[in-house]
Structure formats: structure tokens, C-alpha cells
Amino acid sequence: MLEDSDHDRWVRAQALFEERAYREAAVLLTELLDAADAADDVRHELTDVRLLLARSLYHSAQLNGAIRVATELLEHDPNEPYAHLLVGRSLQRQGKADEAQPHLRLAELLGGYRA
């Protein structure tokens, strides 16, 4: 039997996200990042995977995970507006409005996202 390629897993994770199966999507996306890390690929280039993982974690109420993944993405691309939005919204949901504000402002300035 053929093993799924990374592309197959990426497409399946996107479909799961669209179906609102956020936890399942997060599992596949984490596996993709782990596989890239194990293969010594340049992990920071996987922006789309990280962003969808952070979104999946946010929507499945895994807020600490969403903050961690979005923050890792921001370490490599500090101008990624949606990552700032995810950090800000996650902090808001945790009742940390003061910590959320800088991220929400950057999300609005960089990407036009209104919080």
C-alpha cells in the first residue's frame, strides 16, 4: 500500500479544516511539521502549514498551542498579520486583553484585520 505524501496530508488537513474538524486537522498539520523537522527541511519555510495549524488550534480552543505556533511563525516573519491576529484573539479569549492589544493593533495595521 502506498504511503501518503506530504502533499496528500496537506490537502487532507485543509479539507478537515474546511469541514470544521479542527482537532483532526491540527494532528495532521503537526505531523507535517514534525516530518519536516525530522527530514532537516527548513521548517520556518512552512508558513502556510504553521498558519493553518495555529488557526486549527484556535478554533478547537487549544489557545496556548495557537499562541505558541503563531509566535513561532512570527519569529520568522514578524510582519505576518494573521499570526498577530491569532495571538491577539487567543490572548483575548484567555482574558488577557492588555497583552492582546499590541498584536491586534499590528494585525490591523499590517493586514487590515479588525479585532
Side-chain angles (χ1 to χ4, degrees):
M1 183 167 238
L2 294 175
E3 189 174 311
D4 282 346
S5 70
D6 288 344
H7 181 268
D8 293 336
R9 286 187 284 175
W10 168 242
V11 170
R12 197 164 63 249
Q14 289 174 310
L16 286 167
F17 184 87
E18 291 300 318
E19 295 169 6
R20 296 183 178 175
Y22 303 120
R23 286 186 181 273
E24 293 85 352
V27 168
L28 273 178
L29 294 162
T30 300
E31 288 174 3
L32 278 171
L33 286 174
D34 289 346
D37 194 36
D40 291 327
D41 288 346
V42 182
R43 202 168 178 213
H44 70 271
E45 290 182 3
L46 300 173
T47 300
D48 292 340
V49 175
R50 284 184 191 277
L51 202 49
L52 191 60
L53 175 56
R55 291 175 66 196
S56 297
L57 293 168
Y58 174 82
H59 286 297
S60 62
Q62 298 177 66
L63 302 177
N64 287 331
I67 292 168
R68 179 184 45 78
V69 172
T71 300
E72 288 172 3
L73 196 157
L74 289 170
E75 288 173 6
H76 301 289
D77 185 1
N79 295 319
E80 172 50 59
Y82 205 82
H84 281 291
L85 182 67
L86 287 169
V87 172
R89 292 257 173 97
S90 296
L91 289 168
Q92 276 182 329
R93 285 177 68 182
Q94 292 180 331
K96 301 175 182 177
D98 291 341
E99 291 179 52
Q101 283 311 307
H103 289 285
L104 296 174
R105 277 192 228 113
L106 283 169
E108 187 171 353
L109 288 171
L110 295 170
Y113 295 109
R114 298 208 126 183

